Amino acid sequence: MKEVHSYWAYLVLAILIFAVVNAIIGLTQKKQFTDKDLRIGLFTLIVTHIQLLIGLAWYFMSPWFEALTNDASTVMKTKEVRLLAVEHPSMMIIAIILITIGWSKHKKKTTSEGKFKTFAIFYGLGLLVILSRIPWSNWI
């Protein structure tokens, strides 16, 4: 499960970066928001939600969850363990909430500029949150 979560993360990052760049290009070049842009946003949403499900399944089977439930104070005192047991899971949930909000808000926008701007802001913030709490030492 851990391997699936790790490999799927590469796909999530690639698609999320692509969606954010696409939104920024669409916004700055004043492009028309098309079905292609809609599909990019939707596919990004779906891929990130699948990653959330895989991550939650792995988390509850992981040694980090067990350590947190057995001795939370030690987990909170150790930077590396705290990252994996608390910071990474909670920040990934926040990132996916931001992406989901972006998807929901874009549907209410009537202009292409508004749709691209919403994706750029919310998907971009989600990307930044994800990048800030990836356990790079375990991943690369």
Side-chain angles (χ1 to χ4, degrees):
M1 186 65 78
K2 179 182 177 184
E3 290 79 20
V4 173
H5 181 65
S6 293
Y7 288 122
W8 193 264
Y10 287 108
L11 178 66
V12 169
L13 279 179
I15 291 170
L16 186 54
I17 290 167
F18 182 73
V20 171
V21 169
N22 182 66
I24 291 170
I25 290 170
L27 182 63
T28 58
Q29 294 182 0
K30 300 192 185 311
K31 291 186 172 186
Q32 186 68 27
F33 191 85
T34 64
D35 285 343
K36 176 192 73 109
D37 303 305
L38 178 76
R39 286 189 199 102
I40 290 170
L42 179 60
F43 191 63
T44 304
L45 179 78
I46 291 167
V47 167
T48 56
H49 279 83
I50 291 170
Q51 177 70 341
L52 174 65
L53 295 175
I54 296 167
L56 287 172
W58 161 240
Y59 179 70
F60 290 112
M61 293 186 287
S62 74
W64 315 117
F65 179 71
E66 185 177 337
L68 185 63
T69 55
N70 290 337
D71 190 6
S73 70
T74 302
V75 167
M76 296 308 283
K77 291 176 188 172
T78 311
K79 181 181 176 183
E80 295 80 18
V81 179
R82 184 181 63 235
L83 172 65
L84 294 168
V86 178
E87 294 173 5
H88 176 73
S90 57
M91 294 305 283
M92 296 307 121
I93 290 169
I94 290 170
I96 292 174
I97 289 170
L98 287 167
I99 292 166
T100 304
I101 290 170
W103 174 258
S104 295
K105 286 189 164 290
H106 107 277
K107 294 189 288 187
K108 297 175 183 153
K109 303 296 180 185
T110 56
T111 65
S112 292
E113 179 184 5
K115 290 177 182 287
F116 282 126
K117 188 175 183 179
T118 301
F119 276 157
I121 291 170
F122 286 95
Y123 281 39
L125 287 172
L127 176 62
L128 289 176
V129 170
I130 288 170
L131 291 173
S132 76
R133 285 296 162 243
I134 288 176
W136 295 105
S137 61
N138 293 1
W139 204 38
I140 296 177

